[in-house]
Amino acid sequence: MPRVSQDHLDARRRQILDGARVCFARHGYEGATVRRLEEATRLSRGAIFHHFRDKESLFLALAEDDAARMADVVAEQGLVQVMRDLLANGSEHPADWLGTRLEVSRRLRTDPEFRARWAERSEQLTTATRRRLQRQREAGNLRDDVDVQVLTAFLELVLEGLVSHLAMGLPADNLGPVLDLVEETVRRHRARNEATSA
């Protein structure tokens, strides 16, 4: 029996995640039956569950994959850029990502076991945001009268609000200035006499 290359396994895993993202976004966690997952991924249940132990593991891997991609953007450009990408539909799977994100929120609220498993994985985005803010503070770009932990929580709450807004289908074409305000809120402002003497 020929050995399967790592590239093939990685491509198959990506195919499963991409199909599952659409399925979970469209049908929710409960509605994403094995049959629907097979249709969305164009693979058999055996192929799907060769890569993922069960449906919850698949869903967690999907949510973790999305969080990792967001963390990469945060590390380079900040959490506000993640929000700008959502508004510009610049993310790879904006509508599907929103559905997945909402499903994560629902399960966190209603499923204690899921909440415990997710907590182990969700720290990545928070850590990336906190580190970015700390670097910005050290560079003198971030306000220093508010703790970095508080600023991190503030930005994460704004993100959650934006996700809810977009998921409800509310208009988003006027939210760019809102994100400008959010960004301006966390920046360091020079004192008036410092600005005039510069």
Side-chain angles (χ1 to χ4, degrees), residues 8-192:
H8 177 78
L9 290 173
D10 291 346
R12 181 57 53 92
R13 187 176 192 279
R14 173 57 43 207
Q15 179 182 352
I16 294 167
L17 287 172
D18 288 346
R21 178 180 284 106
V22 173
C23 188
F24 284 124
R26 184 173 299 145
H27 302 290
Y29 181 82
E30 300 303 331
T33 61
V34 173
R35 182 179 57 76
R36 284 177 169 159
L37 286 167
E38 288 176 317
E39 290 170 2
T41 61
R42 297 181 313 280
L43 294 169
S44 70
R45 73 181 58 209
I48 295 169
F49 296 116
H50 170 76
H51 290 269
F52 300 95
R53 187 180 69 231
D54 53 26
K55 185 169 83 167
E56 182 166 290
S57 295
L58 172 57
F59 184 74
L60 280 167
L62 174 63
E64 185 178 34
D65 186 60
D66 287 344
R69 282 189 280 167
M70 287 174 46
D72 289 343
V73 174
V74 168
E76 292 297 316
Q77 301 171 34
L79 191 56
V80 173
Q81 186 59 48
V82 170
M83 296 182 232
R84 291 189 193 284
D85 289 348
L86 284 174
L87 288 183
N89 288 334
S91 57
E92 193 175 344
H93 307 281
D96 300 334
W97 180 85
L98 289 171
T100 302
R101 189 80 179 165
L102 286 176
E103 191 62 28
V104 167
S105 297
R106 185 191 70 77
R107 298 229 31 231
L108 287 173
R109 197 177 64 251
T110 61
D111 186 339
E113 188 176 323
F114 178 83
R115 189 180 314 122
R117 288 184 69 185
W118 175 247
E120 298 169 14
R121 294 161 166 81
S122 63
E123 187 61 25
Q124 188 175 13
L125 183 61
T126 298
T127 299
T129 301
R130 193 181 310 120
R131 285 179 179 161
R132 166 97 181 161
L133 290 172
Q134 191 59 49
R135 286 193 309 271
Q136 290 297 312
R137 175 166 285 170
E138 289 164 4
N141 299 326
L142 189 74
R143 61 187 298 171
D144 56 9
D145 61 328
V146 178
D147 188 77
V148 167
Q149 302 277 65
V150 174
L151 293 174
T152 301
F154 167 69
L155 291 173
E156 288 179 337
L157 283 171
V158 173
L159 173 63
E160 291 300 326
L162 178 63
V163 168
S164 295
H165 183 94
L166 296 175
M168 288 186 288
L170 296 173
D173 50 351
N174 61 345
L175 294 181
V178 174
L179 293 184
D180 292 342
L181 177 61
V182 169
E183 202 162 34
E184 190 63 24
T185 301
V186 299
R187 282 196 182 133
R188 178 176 181 258
H189 298 281
R190 291 196 239 170
R192 184 166 290 148

